[in-house]
Amino acid sequence: MTARAVEATILVFAKAPLAGSVKTRLVPALGARGAAALHARMVRHTLRTACAARVGPVELWCSPSVEHPFFGRCAADFGVTLAAQQGPDLGARMDHALAHALMRGYAIAIGSDCPALTVADLHDAAAALRDGARAVIAPAEDGGYVLIGLRRHEPRLFAGIDWGSAAVMAQTRARLAEISWTWRELTPRWDVDRPEDLARLAGERLIDIDDLPLPSMHRQAAG
């Protein structure tokens, strides 16, 4: 633990890397297998970042179940705990996982499609909770968010949100204001969802993608 870190459980949300079921908007650029391979690398990159932050235990919340061999390998390689996502939509699944973790202290939930999220971001999130903010959020450049940390359980933050839309962050800010919570926002980060994001990913070299079937325009950006 670093001097500025605080004990907080980090919850990483991830789907199994099933071709045709993950990163479907990248399939036109990478193909189903390439998109699944990229997804798997981003999950592992996220776990590596979460563990390197050393702000507390790391849990991998899995979908559709914890039984996929990929998750077993992640648990063995990174020493993380596996748990099954539960709920009909993203909001319900995050609410369930956070309620579970918040019984033990602060909790920080992150997705697995934002390789730009850093160890420093996780330190800053934990510090914000330690310093009294009831919530901390890292907005996404596309209008969502890539991290949310809480001091206590509040299901209203996840109900009635248009998940997957550009309105998620604005709706969450409005909800926080409605319940009179103080919150802190971190530096906005970008996630990898669309084919145009691949050029940025290749250019910033956050993860190794050289062997993936990237279109020539993305390879040129990387060079």
Side-chain angles (χ1 to χ4, degrees), residues 139-144 146 188-191 200:
E141 293 181 2
D142 63 5
V146 301
R189 298 296 182 193
W190 60 280
D191 48 22
R200 190 171 183 180

Short mmCIF file of all heavy atoms in Angstrom, two decimals, residues 139-144 146 188-191 200:
data_model
loop_
_atom_site.label_atom_id
_atom_site.label_comp_id
_atom_site.label_asym_id
_atom_site.label_seq_id
_atom_site.Cartn_x
_atom_site.Cartn_y
_atom_site.Cartn_z
N PRO A 139 -15.38 10.48 -15.83
CA PRO A 139 -16.21 10.51 -17.03
C PRO A 139 -15.50 9.89 -18.22
O PRO A 139 -14.27 9.87 -18.30
CB PRO A 139 -16.43 12.02 -17.26
CG PRO A 139 -16.10 12.68 -15.96
CD PRO A 139 -15.03 11.83 -15.34
N ALA A 140 -16.29 9.39 -19.15
CA ALA A 140 -15.77 8.94 -20.44
C ALA A 140 -16.00 10.03 -21.47
O ALA A 140 -16.98 10.78 -21.39
CB ALA A 140 -16.46 7.64 -20.87
N GLU A 141 -15.13 10.11 -22.43
CA GLU A 141 -15.25 11.14 -23.45
C GLU A 141 -16.52 10.98 -24.28
O GLU A 141 -16.99 11.95 -24.89
CB GLU A 141 -14.02 11.14 -24.35
CG GLU A 141 -12.75 11.58 -23.63
CD GLU A 141 -11.54 11.59 -24.53
OE1 GLU A 141 -11.69 11.28 -25.75
OE2 GLU A 141 -10.43 11.91 -24.05
N ASP A 142 -17.11 9.78 -24.29
CA ASP A 142 -18.30 9.55 -25.10
C ASP A 142 -19.61 9.81 -24.35
O ASP A 142 -20.69 9.54 -24.87
CB ASP A 142 -18.31 8.12 -25.67
CG ASP A 142 -18.37 7.05 -24.56
OD1 ASP A 142 -18.50 7.41 -23.37
OD2 ASP A 142 -18.29 5.86 -24.91
N GLY A 143 -19.52 10.35 -23.14
CA GLY A 143 -20.71 10.70 -22.39
C GLY A 143 -21.08 9.73 -21.29
O GLY A 143 -22.01 9.99 -20.52
N GLY A 144 -20.37 8.63 -21.18
CA GLY A 144 -20.59 7.69 -20.08
C GLY A 144 -19.59 7.93 -18.97
O GLY A 144 -19.12 9.06 -18.77
N VAL A 146 -16.13 5.71 -16.85
CA VAL A 146 -15.29 4.52 -16.85
C VAL A 146 -14.96 4.05 -15.45
O VAL A 146 -14.38 2.98 -15.28
CB VAL A 146 -13.98 4.76 -17.64
CG1 VAL A 146 -14.28 5.15 -19.09
CG2 VAL A 146 -13.12 5.83 -16.98
N PRO A 188 -11.37 13.05 -17.48
CA PRO A 188 -12.09 12.19 -18.45
C PRO A 188 -11.11 11.27 -19.19
O PRO A 188 -9.99 11.65 -19.51
CB PRO A 188 -12.73 13.20 -19.40
CG PRO A 188 -12.86 14.46 -18.59
CD PRO A 188 -11.65 14.49 -17.71
N ARG A 189 -11.58 10.06 -19.44
CA ARG A 189 -10.78 9.07 -20.16
C ARG A 189 -11.57 8.55 -21.37
O ARG A 189 -12.77 8.73 -21.45
CB ARG A 189 -10.42 7.90 -19.24
CG ARG A 189 -9.57 8.29 -18.04
CD ARG A 189 -8.22 8.82 -18.44
NE ARG A 189 -7.38 9.16 -17.29
CZ ARG A 189 -6.27 9.86 -17.39
NH1 ARG A 189 -5.86 10.32 -18.56
NH2 ARG A 189 -5.55 10.13 -16.31
N TRP A 190 -10.88 7.93 -22.28
CA TRP A 190 -11.53 7.39 -23.48
C TRP A 190 -11.53 5.88 -23.41
O TRP A 190 -10.64 5.26 -22.84
CB TRP A 190 -10.83 7.88 -24.74
CG TRP A 190 -9.38 7.49 -24.84
CD1 TRP A 190 -8.32 8.09 -24.21
CD2 TRP A 190 -8.84 6.40 -25.58
NE1 TRP A 190 -7.16 7.45 -24.54
CE2 TRP A 190 -7.45 6.41 -25.37
CE3 TRP A 190 -9.40 5.42 -26.42
CZ2 TRP A 190 -6.60 5.48 -25.96
CZ3 TRP A 190 -8.56 4.49 -27.00
CH2 TRP A 190 -7.17 4.53 -26.77
N ASP A 191 -12.58 5.30 -23.96
CA ASP A 191 -12.64 3.85 -24.00
C ASP A 191 -12.67 3.36 -25.45
O ASP A 191 -12.76 4.15 -26.38
CB ASP A 191 -13.83 3.30 -23.19
CG ASP A 191 -15.13 4.02 -23.50
OD1 ASP A 191 -15.24 4.63 -24.58
OD2 ASP A 191 -16.04 3.95 -22.65
N ARG A 200 -6.38 5.37 -32.24
CA ARG A 200 -5.86 5.98 -31.00
C ARG A 200 -5.19 4.92 -30.12
O ARG A 200 -4.13 5.16 -29.54
CB ARG A 200 -7.01 6.65 -30.25
CG ARG A 200 -6.58 7.51 -29.08
CD ARG A 200 -7.77 8.30 -28.57
NE ARG A 200 -7.41 9.20 -27.50
CZ ARG A 200 -8.28 10.01 -26.88
NH1 ARG A 200 -9.56 10.01 -27.27
NH2 ARG A 200 -7.88 10.81 -25.92
#
